[in-house]
Amino acid sequence: MRAQASWLALPPEPWKNGGGVTRTVSVDAVQQPPRWRVSVADIDRAGPYSRYAGYDRVSVVLTGGGVALRAGDASVCLAPGVATAFTGDAAFDCRLTDGPVRVLNLFVLRGAARASVMCIGAPQDPKPALAGSQHTRQPGSPPAPQLATQPVLHAGNLTSDGAMTQTLRIAIAIQAGRLNVAPGADDILLAAGDYAIGLCADDAAPIRYIATTPPRPGGLAAVLLDVVVTAPAFP
């Protein structure tokens, strides 16, 4: 993986309905329609939520109070710091529960890609599951930040028919930290708003994210995504 410039510096793409802007972090450039797309959207007001027929979606509210989606009798609640999967087939209306939000969005084309998403943040209970490497605390040194991981959320499906697959790995830093992609590998330093992206083997070890300062209680430190497609993933 390689560190990238901040996704906050990516060019914003205004929504057609004027309700927000989107910044594209990664999109399939090999096939049409794209097998995957990862973007960050700033939503300023209520309105129609874009429909993506044939896609499965995962959204994570990075900042703000949350989003309520409704299409007829179907409803989806996007809570801060929680990965939520839902279909892109429905024509949802969007309502902001507490002002403007920033949302990370993953789209995977059904049958052509599968993905996993893990949110890493501050513990909300006194005995959280820990993510990241174990640290030996020296006398007088501050305690290492302890991060809680949510269960991995899976989305999409891939029909490969025995073809070679590749895994695209993306790390989105909400808070500054160190990204470790393999045992013995050097850490990648990410500032808040940075991201790292690259290919890895399908059986690669899980990546770990270690915040350099403790997140606020219940806050989000990073979102880690794996997207699996048939080769090639890039041109």
Side-chain angles (χ1 to χ4, degrees), residues 27-50:
V27 64
D28 183 12
V30 173
Q31 294 187 15
Q32 289 294 327
R35 294 167 292 176
W36 82 86
R37 183 171 184 261
V38 178
S39 60
V40 178
D42 291 332
I43 309 174
D44 298 326
R45 59 178 181 265
Y49 214 61
S50 299

Side-chain angles (χ1 to χ4, degrees), residues 13-20:
E13 307 159 28
W15 289 10
K16 291 182 179 180
N17 64 10

Side-chain angles (χ1 to χ4, degrees), residues 6-13 15 21-26 37-42 102:
S6 171
W7 48 263
L8 294 171
L10 295 172
E13 307 159 28
W15 289 10
V21 298
T22 294
R23 292 174 172 85
T24 300
V25 175
S26 178
R37 183 171 184 261
V38 178
S39 60
V40 178
D42 291 332
R102 174 166 286 159

Side-chain angles (χ1 to χ4, degrees), residues 27-188:
V27 64
D28 183 12
V30 173
Q31 294 187 15
Q32 289 294 327
R35 294 167 292 176
W36 82 86
R37 183 171 184 261
V38 178
S39 60
V40 178
D42 291 332
I43 309 174
D44 298 326
R45 59 178 181 265
Y49 214 61
S50 299
R51 181 172 178 263
Y52 287 85
Y55 285 83
D56 288 332
R57 301 185 59 166
V58 177
S59 291
V60 182
V61 176
L62 304 180
T63 61
V67 179
L69 303 177
R70 179 171 291 278
D73 294 333
S75 62
V76 177
C77 177
L78 306 181
V82 178
T84 303
F86 57 101
T87 179
D89 296 328
F92 287 106
D93 283 323
C94 158
R95 179 177 62 84
L96 306 181
T97 60
D98 188 19
V101 294
R102 174 166 286 159
V103 182
L104 173 67
N105 291 304
L106 166 68
F107 308 81
V108 287
L109 183 62
R110 219 168 288 131
R114 68 175 184 268
S116 61
V117 180
M118 182 171 63
C119 295
I120 299 179
Q124 300 192 49
D125 57 74
K127 295 182 180 179
L130 299 183
S133 59
Q134 299 295 320
H135 296 269
T136 301
R137 185 182 176 189
Q138 300 298 323
S141 65
Q146 295 184 345
L147 301 181
T149 60
Q150 296 178 15
V152 176
L153 181 69
H154 299 279
N157 57 76
L158 174 61
T159 304
S160 61
D161 294 326
M164 177 182 175
T165 61
Q166 290 183 316
T167 299
L168 176 70
R169 182 160 277 181
I170 303 172
I172 305 287
I174 314 306
Q175 182 177 353
R178 305 197 312 272
L179 180 70
N180 183 269
V181 299
D186 292 336
D187 289 345
I188 299 173

